[in-house]
Amino acid sequence: MNVAIFASHNGSDLQAVIDACRKGKLKARVCAVFSNNSDSRALLRAKEANIDSYHVSAKVYGNEYVMNNEILKLLDAHQTDIIFLAGYLKRFGHDIVKKYHNRVFNIHPSLLPKYGGQGMYGITVHQAVVKAQEKISGITIHRVNDEYDRGEIVAQTTVPVLPYDTAEILAARVLEREHEFIVEVIGKIVDGDIPIG
Ligand code: GRF
C-alpha cells in the first residue's frame, strides 16, 4: 500500500511510519511526502529516507486551484492508495478529498469531538485538556472531509492525564503514543479492517 504523507513541521509521526515500513512492521511504503513549509523537518526526514518530497504552497504555484491540481498529478504519479495528514496545518484541498474519497486520514492529539476544530492544534489542544482537568486524553484518527476534525472517526486510543501534568508533559506523552498508534492504524487499513473501498 502506497501512503502519501502531508506534514507541516517536525514530522515525527512521519518518521514513525517510515521506520515501521523499513523494519517490515508495515506492509506499506511512504510513496511521497508533501509540506507547505519549505523549512520543515518533515521534508528533511523524507530526503534522508530517499522518499520523493514536495514543497507545496499556493505561493509556489500561484494559487490554490493550480496547487491542488499539481498535488493530484503527483499523488497519481506515485500511485497513492491512501493519504495521511500528520501535523498538516493547512486546509486540505476539496478536490483531493473528493478524488480520494474515504482514503484521506488525519491524526489529532485528543479524543475528538473534544478539543478539535479550527485553531485546535499543537500545544493549544493539551493546554485546554489540562485546564479542563481531564483525567483522560488520547488520539483520534479520522477520515478527512471539508470540516476541520469532523470526518468519521476510525480509531481512538486513550492516554492518561496525570496529576501535575503541564501541557508540555502531556503533549510529549501523547506524541510518544502517536508514534505507535499511527503505525497500528495504518496496519489495520492495510489488512482491510478499516475499509477504504
Ligand atoms: C501530532 O500531535 C498530530 O496529532 C498533530 O500534529 C502533531 C504532529 O507532530 N496533527 P509531528 O510533526 O509528527 O512531530
PDB file of all heavy atoms in Angstrom, residues 7-15 42 45 85-89 106-110 121-122 126 139-140 171 174-175 178-179, ligand 1:
ATOM      1  N   ALA A   7       2.790  16.863   5.990  1.00  0.00           N
ATOM      2  CA  ALA A   7       3.205  17.331   7.328  1.00  0.00           C
ATOM      3  C   ALA A   7       3.754  18.749   7.211  1.00  0.00           C
ATOM      4  O   ALA A   7       4.436  19.070   6.227  1.00  0.00           O
ATOM      5  CB  ALA A   7       4.265  16.402   7.893  1.00  0.00           C
ATOM      6  N   SER A   8       3.480  19.570   8.208  1.00  0.00           N
ATOM      7  CA  SER A   8       3.914  20.975   8.129  1.00  0.00           C
ATOM      8  C   SER A   8       5.205  21.262   8.880  1.00  0.00           C
ATOM      9  O   SER A   8       5.905  22.213   8.536  1.00  0.00           O
ATOM     10  CB  SER A   8       2.834  21.896   8.700  1.00  0.00           C
ATOM     11  OG  SER A   8       1.672  21.839   7.913  1.00  0.00           O
ATOM     12  N   HIS A   9       5.481  20.504   9.938  1.00  0.00           N
ATOM     13  CA  HIS A   9       6.623  20.895  10.764  1.00  0.00           C
ATOM     14  C   HIS A   9       7.576  19.742  11.053  1.00  0.00           C
ATOM     15  O   HIS A   9       8.337  19.341  10.197  1.00  0.00           O
ATOM     16  CB  HIS A   9       6.138  21.552  12.059  1.00  0.00           C
ATOM     17  CG  HIS A   9       5.488  22.867  11.799  1.00  0.00           C
ATOM     18  ND1 HIS A   9       6.186  23.958  11.361  1.00  0.00           N
ATOM     19  CD2 HIS A   9       4.191  23.260  11.876  1.00  0.00           C
ATOM     20  CE1 HIS A   9       5.371  24.980  11.179  1.00  0.00           C
ATOM     21  NE2 HIS A   9       4.141  24.581  11.482  1.00  0.00           N
ATOM     22  N   ASN A  10       7.470  19.207  12.251  1.00  0.00           N
ATOM     23  CA  ASN A  10       8.501  18.285  12.733  1.00  0.00           C
ATOM     24  C   ASN A  10       8.524  16.938  11.997  1.00  0.00           C
ATOM     25  O   ASN A  10       9.570  16.435  11.618  1.00  0.00           O
ATOM     26  CB  ASN A  10       8.293  18.095  14.245  1.00  0.00           C
ATOM     27  CG  ASN A  10       9.342  17.201  14.854  1.00  0.00           C
ATOM     28  OD1 ASN A  10      10.428  17.066  14.326  1.00  0.00           O
ATOM     29  ND2 ASN A  10       9.003  16.575  15.966  1.00  0.00           N
ATOM     30  N   GLY A  11       7.329  16.361  11.832  1.00  0.00           N
ATOM     31  CA  GLY A  11       7.275  15.106  11.095  1.00  0.00           C
ATOM     32  C   GLY A  11       7.700  13.884  11.889  1.00  0.00           C
ATOM     33  O   GLY A  11       8.177  12.901  11.311  1.00  0.00           O
ATOM     34  N   SER A  12       7.516  13.906  13.222  1.00  0.00           N
ATOM     35  CA  SER A  12       7.906  12.708  13.975  1.00  0.00           C
ATOM     36  C   SER A  12       6.922  11.557  13.730  1.00  0.00           C
ATOM     37  O   SER A  12       7.327  10.388  13.752  1.00  0.00           O
ATOM     38  CB  SER A  12       8.061  13.007  15.476  1.00  0.00           C
ATOM     39  OG  SER A  12       6.840  13.292  16.072  1.00  0.00           O
ATOM     40  N   ASP A  13       5.660  11.868  13.473  1.00  0.00           N
ATOM     41  CA  ASP A  13       4.716  10.801  13.088  1.00  0.00           C
ATOM     42  C   ASP A  13       5.134  10.198  11.746  1.00  0.00           C
ATOM     43  O   ASP A  13       5.117   8.971  11.571  1.00  0.00           O
ATOM     44  CB  ASP A  13       3.283  11.352  12.974  1.00  0.00           C
ATOM     45  CG  ASP A  13       2.621  11.562  14.339  1.00  0.00           C
ATOM     46  OD1 ASP A  13       3.064  10.950  15.323  1.00  0.00           O
ATOM     47  OD2 ASP A  13       1.651  12.344  14.407  1.00  0.00           O
ATOM     48  N   LEU A  14       5.502  11.071  10.828  1.00  0.00           N
ATOM     49  CA  LEU A  14       6.009  10.612   9.524  1.00  0.00           C
ATOM     50  C   LEU A  14       7.183   9.656   9.728  1.00  0.00           C
ATOM     51  O   LEU A  14       7.243   8.576   9.136  1.00  0.00           O
ATOM     52  CB  LEU A  14       6.449  11.824   8.694  1.00  0.00           C
ATOM     53  CG  LEU A  14       7.404  11.558   7.530  1.00  0.00           C
ATOM     54  CD1 LEU A  14       6.691  10.819   6.409  1.00  0.00           C
ATOM     55  CD2 LEU A  14       8.005  12.865   7.005  1.00  0.00           C
ATOM     56  N   GLN A  15       8.103  10.056  10.603  1.00  0.00           N
ATOM     57  CA  GLN A  15       9.291   9.237  10.854  1.00  0.00           C
ATOM     58  C   GLN A  15       8.903   7.853  11.393  1.00  0.00           C
ATOM     59  O   GLN A  15       9.501   6.839  11.011  1.00  0.00           O
ATOM     60  CB  GLN A  15      10.206   9.941  11.870  1.00  0.00           C
ATOM     61  CG  GLN A  15      11.556   9.284  12.021  1.00  0.00           C
ATOM     62  CD  GLN A  15      12.408   9.440  10.771  1.00  0.00           C
ATOM     63  OE1 GLN A  15      12.620  10.550  10.301  1.00  0.00           O
ATOM     64  NE2 GLN A  15      12.883   8.333  10.226  1.00  0.00           N
ATOM     65  N   ALA A  42      10.026  17.716   8.384  1.00  0.00           N
ATOM     66  CA  ALA A  42       9.367  16.613   7.668  1.00  0.00           C
ATOM     67  C   ALA A  42      10.006  16.419   6.288  1.00  0.00           C
ATOM     68  O   ALA A  42      10.290  15.287   5.877  1.00  0.00           O
ATOM     69  CB  ALA A  42       7.868  16.892   7.535  1.00  0.00           C
ATOM     70  N   ARG A  45      13.389  14.829   6.705  1.00  0.00           N
ATOM     71  CA  ARG A  45      13.276  13.399   7.046  1.00  0.00           C
ATOM     72  C   ARG A  45      13.016  12.582   5.784  1.00  0.00           C
ATOM     73  O   ARG A  45      13.550  11.477   5.613  1.00  0.00           O
ATOM     74  CB  ARG A  45      12.137  13.179   8.045  1.00  0.00           C
ATOM     75  CG  ARG A  45      12.388  13.765   9.434  1.00  0.00           C
ATOM     76  CD  ARG A  45      11.161  13.461  10.294  1.00  0.00           C
ATOM     77  NE  ARG A  45      11.101  14.183  11.541  1.00  0.00           N
ATOM     78  CZ  ARG A  45      11.615  13.761  12.698  1.00  0.00           C
ATOM     79  NH1 ARG A  45      12.266  12.622  12.759  1.00  0.00           N
ATOM     80  NH2 ARG A  45      11.460  14.478  13.796  1.00  0.00           N
ATOM     81  N   LEU A  85      -2.652  12.867   6.797  1.00  0.00           N
ATOM     82  CA  LEU A  85      -2.258  14.199   7.254  1.00  0.00           C
ATOM     83  C   LEU A  85      -1.727  14.004   8.670  1.00  0.00           C
ATOM     84  O   LEU A  85      -2.463  13.567   9.571  1.00  0.00           O
ATOM     85  CB  LEU A  85      -3.448  15.161   7.269  1.00  0.00           C
ATOM     86  CG  LEU A  85      -4.315  15.207   6.000  1.00  0.00           C
ATOM     87  CD1 LEU A  85      -5.357  16.325   6.111  1.00  0.00           C
ATOM     88  CD2 LEU A  85      -3.491  15.372   4.740  1.00  0.00           C
ATOM     89  N   ALA A  86      -0.440  14.267   8.844  1.00  0.00           N
ATOM     90  CA  ALA A  86       0.187  14.054  10.157  1.00  0.00           C
ATOM     91  C   ALA A  86       0.848  15.365  10.561  1.00  0.00           C
ATOM     92  O   ALA A  86       2.008  15.611  10.248  1.00  0.00           O
ATOM     93  CB  ALA A  86       1.205  12.919  10.074  1.00  0.00           C
ATOM     94  N   GLY A  87       0.051  16.213  11.194  1.00  0.00           N
ATOM     95  CA  GLY A  87       0.581  17.522  11.557  1.00  0.00           C
ATOM     96  C   GLY A  87       0.593  18.468  10.363  1.00  0.00           C
ATOM     97  O   GLY A  87       1.501  19.275  10.223  1.00  0.00           O
ATOM     98  N   TYR A  88      -0.424  18.350   9.508  1.00  0.00           N
ATOM     99  CA  TYR A  88      -0.548  19.249   8.349  1.00  0.00           C
ATOM    100  C   TYR A  88      -1.522  20.359   8.717  1.00  0.00           C
ATOM    101  O   TYR A  88      -2.682  20.091   9.009  1.00  0.00           O
ATOM    102  CB  TYR A  88      -1.041  18.466   7.132  1.00  0.00           C
ATOM    103  CG  TYR A  88      -1.033  19.263   5.850  1.00  0.00           C
ATOM    104  CD1 TYR A  88       0.166  19.754   5.326  1.00  0.00           C
ATOM    105  CD2 TYR A  88      -2.210  19.509   5.153  1.00  0.00           C
ATOM    106  CE1 TYR A  88       0.186  20.475   4.144  1.00  0.00           C
ATOM    107  CE2 TYR A  88      -2.196  20.225   3.961  1.00  0.00           C
ATOM    108  CZ  TYR A  88      -0.995  20.706   3.461  1.00  0.00           C
ATOM    109  OH  TYR A  88      -0.988  21.418   2.292  1.00  0.00           O
ATOM    110  N   LEU A  89      -1.010  21.580   8.725  1.00  0.00           N
ATOM    111  CA  LEU A  89      -1.797  22.666   9.316  1.00  0.00           C
ATOM    112  C   LEU A  89      -2.571  23.497   8.305  1.00  0.00           C
ATOM    113  O   LEU A  89      -3.147  24.525   8.654  1.00  0.00           O
ATOM    114  CB  LEU A  89      -0.876  23.574  10.143  1.00  0.00           C
ATOM    115  CG  LEU A  89      -0.191  22.868  11.319  1.00  0.00           C
ATOM    116  CD1 LEU A  89       0.660  23.836  12.111  1.00  0.00           C
ATOM    117  CD2 LEU A  89      -1.212  22.194  12.232  1.00  0.00           C
ATOM    118  N   ASN A 106      -6.606  11.840   9.020  1.00  0.00           N
ATOM    119  CA  ASN A 106      -5.867  12.830   9.819  1.00  0.00           C
ATOM    120  C   ASN A 106      -5.655  12.263  11.220  1.00  0.00           C
ATOM    121  O   ASN A 106      -6.517  11.566  11.754  1.00  0.00           O
ATOM    122  CB  ASN A 106      -6.690  14.120   9.913  1.00  0.00           C
ATOM    123  CG  ASN A 106      -5.983  15.189  10.727  1.00  0.00           C
ATOM    124  OD1 ASN A 106      -4.816  15.503  10.499  1.00  0.00           O
ATOM    125  ND2 ASN A 106      -6.695  15.764  11.697  1.00  0.00           N
ATOM    126  N   ILE A 107      -4.510  12.583  11.802  1.00  0.00           N
ATOM    127  CA  ILE A 107      -4.270  12.188  13.195  1.00  0.00           C
ATOM    128  C   ILE A 107      -4.338  13.437  14.054  1.00  0.00           C
ATOM    129  O   ILE A 107      -3.732  14.464  13.740  1.00  0.00           O
ATOM    130  CB  ILE A 107      -2.938  11.408  13.360  1.00  0.00           C
ATOM    131  CG1 ILE A 107      -2.736  10.990  14.829  1.00  0.00           C
ATOM    132  CG2 ILE A 107      -1.736  12.171  12.842  1.00  0.00           C
ATOM    133  CD1 ILE A 107      -1.727   9.872  15.012  1.00  0.00           C
ATOM    134  N   HIS A 108      -5.122  13.344  15.138  1.00  0.00           N
ATOM    135  CA  HIS A 108      -5.360  14.513  16.004  1.00  0.00           C
ATOM    136  C   HIS A 108      -5.066  14.125  17.459  1.00  0.00           C
ATOM    137  O   HIS A 108      -5.495  13.061  17.917  1.00  0.00           O
ATOM    138  CB  HIS A 108      -6.810  14.967  15.852  1.00  0.00           C
ATOM    139  CG  HIS A 108      -7.112  16.201  16.647  1.00  0.00           C
ATOM    140  ND1 HIS A 108      -6.833  17.464  16.169  1.00  0.00           N
ATOM    141  CD2 HIS A 108      -7.638  16.359  17.883  1.00  0.00           C
ATOM    142  CE1 HIS A 108      -7.173  18.352  17.094  1.00  0.00           C
ATOM    143  NE2 HIS A 108      -7.668  17.711  18.142  1.00  0.00           N
ATOM    144  N   PRO A 109      -4.366  14.999  18.201  1.00  0.00           N
ATOM    145  CA  PRO A 109      -3.931  14.607  19.553  1.00  0.00           C
ATOM    146  C   PRO A 109      -4.944  14.852  20.665  1.00  0.00           C
ATOM    147  O   PRO A 109      -4.597  15.391  21.726  1.00  0.00           O
ATOM    148  CB  PRO A 109      -2.676  15.468  19.750  1.00  0.00           C
ATOM    149  CG  PRO A 109      -2.988  16.718  19.003  1.00  0.00           C
ATOM    150  CD  PRO A 109      -3.828  16.303  17.820  1.00  0.00           C
ATOM    151  N   SER A 110      -6.200  14.459  20.446  1.00  0.00           N
ATOM    152  CA  SER A 110      -7.188  14.487  21.535  1.00  0.00           C
ATOM    153  C   SER A 110      -8.277  13.486  21.198  1.00  0.00           C
ATOM    154  O   SER A 110      -8.308  12.941  20.086  1.00  0.00           O
ATOM    155  CB  SER A 110      -7.816  15.880  21.701  1.00  0.00           C
ATOM    156  OG  SER A 110      -8.799  16.103  20.712  1.00  0.00           O
ATOM    157  N   TYR A 121      -4.828  23.004  17.583  1.00  0.00           N
ATOM    158  CA  TYR A 121      -3.716  22.171  17.151  1.00  0.00           C
ATOM    159  C   TYR A 121      -2.536  22.447  18.080  1.00  0.00           C
ATOM    160  O   TYR A 121      -2.535  23.421  18.841  1.00  0.00           O
ATOM    161  CB  TYR A 121      -3.344  22.430  15.684  1.00  0.00           C
ATOM    162  CG  TYR A 121      -2.896  23.836  15.406  1.00  0.00           C
ATOM    163  CD1 TYR A 121      -1.562  24.202  15.568  1.00  0.00           C
ATOM    164  CD2 TYR A 121      -3.800  24.799  15.008  1.00  0.00           C
ATOM    165  CE1 TYR A 121      -1.146  25.505  15.339  1.00  0.00           C
ATOM    166  CE2 TYR A 121      -3.398  26.104  14.783  1.00  0.00           C
ATOM    167  CZ  TYR A 121      -2.073  26.451  14.944  1.00  0.00           C
ATOM    168  OH  TYR A 121      -1.670  27.736  14.734  1.00  0.00           O
ATOM    169  N   GLY A 122      -1.561  21.553  18.002  1.00  0.00           N
ATOM    170  CA  GLY A 122      -0.338  21.743  18.789  1.00  0.00           C
ATOM    171  C   GLY A 122      -0.629  21.846  20.278  1.00  0.00           C
ATOM    172  O   GLY A 122      -1.548  21.208  20.818  1.00  0.00           O
ATOM    173  N   HIS A 126      -3.502  20.540  24.211  1.00  0.00           N
ATOM    174  CA  HIS A 126      -3.119  19.985  25.509  1.00  0.00           C
ATOM    175  C   HIS A 126      -3.343  21.006  26.638  1.00  0.00           C
ATOM    176  O   HIS A 126      -3.684  20.633  27.756  1.00  0.00           O
ATOM    177  CB  HIS A 126      -1.673  19.493  25.452  1.00  0.00           C
ATOM    178  CG  HIS A 126      -1.446  18.542  24.318  1.00  0.00           C
ATOM    179  ND1 HIS A 126      -2.000  17.280  24.312  1.00  0.00           N
ATOM    180  CD2 HIS A 126      -0.800  18.683  23.135  1.00  0.00           C
ATOM    181  CE1 HIS A 126      -1.680  16.672  23.178  1.00  0.00           C
ATOM    182  NE2 HIS A 126      -0.954  17.508  22.452  1.00  0.00           N
ATOM    183  N   ILE A 139      -5.868  10.087  21.396  1.00  0.00           N
ATOM    184  CA  ILE A 139      -5.532  10.325  19.990  1.00  0.00           C
ATOM    185  C   ILE A 139      -6.704   9.848  19.145  1.00  0.00           C
ATOM    186  O   ILE A 139      -7.296   8.803  19.437  1.00  0.00           O
ATOM    187  CB  ILE A 139      -4.269   9.515  19.606  1.00  0.00           C
ATOM    188  CG1 ILE A 139      -3.089   9.906  20.501  1.00  0.00           C
ATOM    189  CG2 ILE A 139      -3.926   9.700  18.121  1.00  0.00           C
ATOM    190  CD1 ILE A 139      -2.039   8.828  20.623  1.00  0.00           C
ATOM    191  N   THR A 140      -7.002  10.609  18.117  1.00  0.00           N
ATOM    192  CA  THR A 140      -8.070  10.218  17.195  1.00  0.00           C
ATOM    193  C   THR A 140      -7.514  10.171  15.773  1.00  0.00           C
ATOM    194  O   THR A 140      -6.787  11.073  15.364  1.00  0.00           O
ATOM    195  CB  THR A 140      -9.223  11.248  17.228  1.00  0.00           C
ATOM    196  OG1 THR A 140      -9.727  11.333  18.563  1.00  0.00           O
ATOM    197  CG2 THR A 140     -10.346  10.855  16.280  1.00  0.00           C
ATOM    198  N   ALA A 171       1.698  16.686  26.196  1.00  0.00           N
ATOM    199  CA  ALA A 171       1.940  16.666  24.741  1.00  0.00           C
ATOM    200  C   ALA A 171       2.983  15.596  24.396  1.00  0.00           C
ATOM    201  O   ALA A 171       2.819  14.842  23.435  1.00  0.00           O
ATOM    202  CB  ALA A 171       2.412  18.031  24.259  1.00  0.00           C
ATOM    203  N   VAL A 174       1.458  12.083  24.773  1.00  0.00           N
ATOM    204  CA  VAL A 174       0.517  11.777  23.674  1.00  0.00           C
ATOM    205  C   VAL A 174       1.300  11.494  22.380  1.00  0.00           C
ATOM    206  O   VAL A 174       1.031  10.518  21.678  1.00  0.00           O
ATOM    207  CB  VAL A 174      -0.495  12.934  23.471  1.00  0.00           C
ATOM    208  CG1 VAL A 174      -1.319  12.730  22.204  1.00  0.00           C
ATOM    209  CG2 VAL A 174      -1.429  13.054  24.691  1.00  0.00           C
ATOM    210  N   LEU A 175       2.310  12.338  22.115  1.00  0.00           N
ATOM    211  CA  LEU A 175       3.067  12.170  20.861  1.00  0.00           C
ATOM    212  C   LEU A 175       3.794  10.824  20.816  1.00  0.00           C
ATOM    213  O   LEU A 175       3.839  10.162  19.783  1.00  0.00           O
ATOM    214  CB  LEU A 175       4.047  13.336  20.680  1.00  0.00           C
ATOM    215  CG  LEU A 175       4.731  13.428  19.313  1.00  0.00           C
ATOM    216  CD1 LEU A 175       3.711  13.602  18.189  1.00  0.00           C
ATOM    217  CD2 LEU A 175       5.722  14.591  19.276  1.00  0.00           C
ATOM    218  N   GLU A 178       1.390   8.380  19.863  1.00  0.00           N
ATOM    219  CA  GLU A 178       1.018   8.559  18.446  1.00  0.00           C
ATOM    220  C   GLU A 178       1.922   7.742  17.531  1.00  0.00           C
ATOM    221  O   GLU A 178       1.483   7.226  16.514  1.00  0.00           O
ATOM    222  CB  GLU A 178       1.132  10.030  18.036  1.00  0.00           C
ATOM    223  CG  GLU A 178      -0.081  10.847  18.388  1.00  0.00           C
ATOM    224  CD  GLU A 178      -0.025  12.251  17.799  1.00  0.00           C
ATOM    225  OE1 GLU A 178       0.316  12.406  16.628  1.00  0.00           O
ATOM    226  OE2 GLU A 178      -0.333  13.197  18.543  1.00  0.00           O
ATOM    227  N   HIS A 179       3.201   7.703  17.902  1.00  0.00           N
ATOM    228  CA  HIS A 179       4.160   7.043  17.023  1.00  0.00           C
ATOM    229  C   HIS A 179       3.850   5.554  16.872  1.00  0.00           C
ATOM    230  O   HIS A 179       4.103   4.968  15.826  1.00  0.00           O
ATOM    231  CB  HIS A 179       5.588   7.259  17.541  1.00  0.00           C
ATOM    232  CG  HIS A 179       5.975   8.708  17.551  1.00  0.00           C
ATOM    233  ND1 HIS A 179       6.946   9.223  18.362  1.00  0.00           N
ATOM    234  CD2 HIS A 179       5.473   9.767  16.852  1.00  0.00           C
ATOM    235  CE1 HIS A 179       7.034  10.533  18.161  1.00  0.00           C
ATOM    236  NE2 HIS A 179       6.156  10.880  17.260  1.00  0.00           N
TER     237      HIS A 179
HETATM  238  C1  GRF B   1       0.746  15.411  16.185  1.00  0.00           C
HETATM  239  O1  GRF B   1       0.444  15.667  17.529  1.00  0.00           O
HETATM  240  C2  GRF B   1      -0.521  15.145  15.409  1.00  0.00           C
HETATM  241  O2  GRF B   1      -1.523  14.537  16.148  1.00  0.00           O
HETATM  242  C3  GRF B   1      -0.961  16.535  15.037  1.00  0.00           C
HETATM  243  O3  GRF B   1       0.245  17.215  14.764  1.00  0.00           O
HETATM  244  C4  GRF B   1       1.312  16.631  15.514  1.00  0.00           C
HETATM  245  C5  GRF B   1       2.393  16.290  14.546  1.00  0.00           C
HETATM  246  O4  GRF B   1       3.605  16.009  15.192  1.00  0.00           O
HETATM  247  N1  GRF B   1      -1.902  16.526  13.940  1.00  0.00           N
HETATM  248  P1  GRF B   1       4.877  15.701  14.328  1.00  0.00           P
HETATM  249  O5  GRF B   1       5.084  16.875  13.383  1.00  0.00           O
HETATM  250  O6  GRF B   1       4.618  14.434  13.558  1.00  0.00           O
HETATM  251  O7  GRF B   1       6.013  15.559  15.284  1.00  0.00           O
END
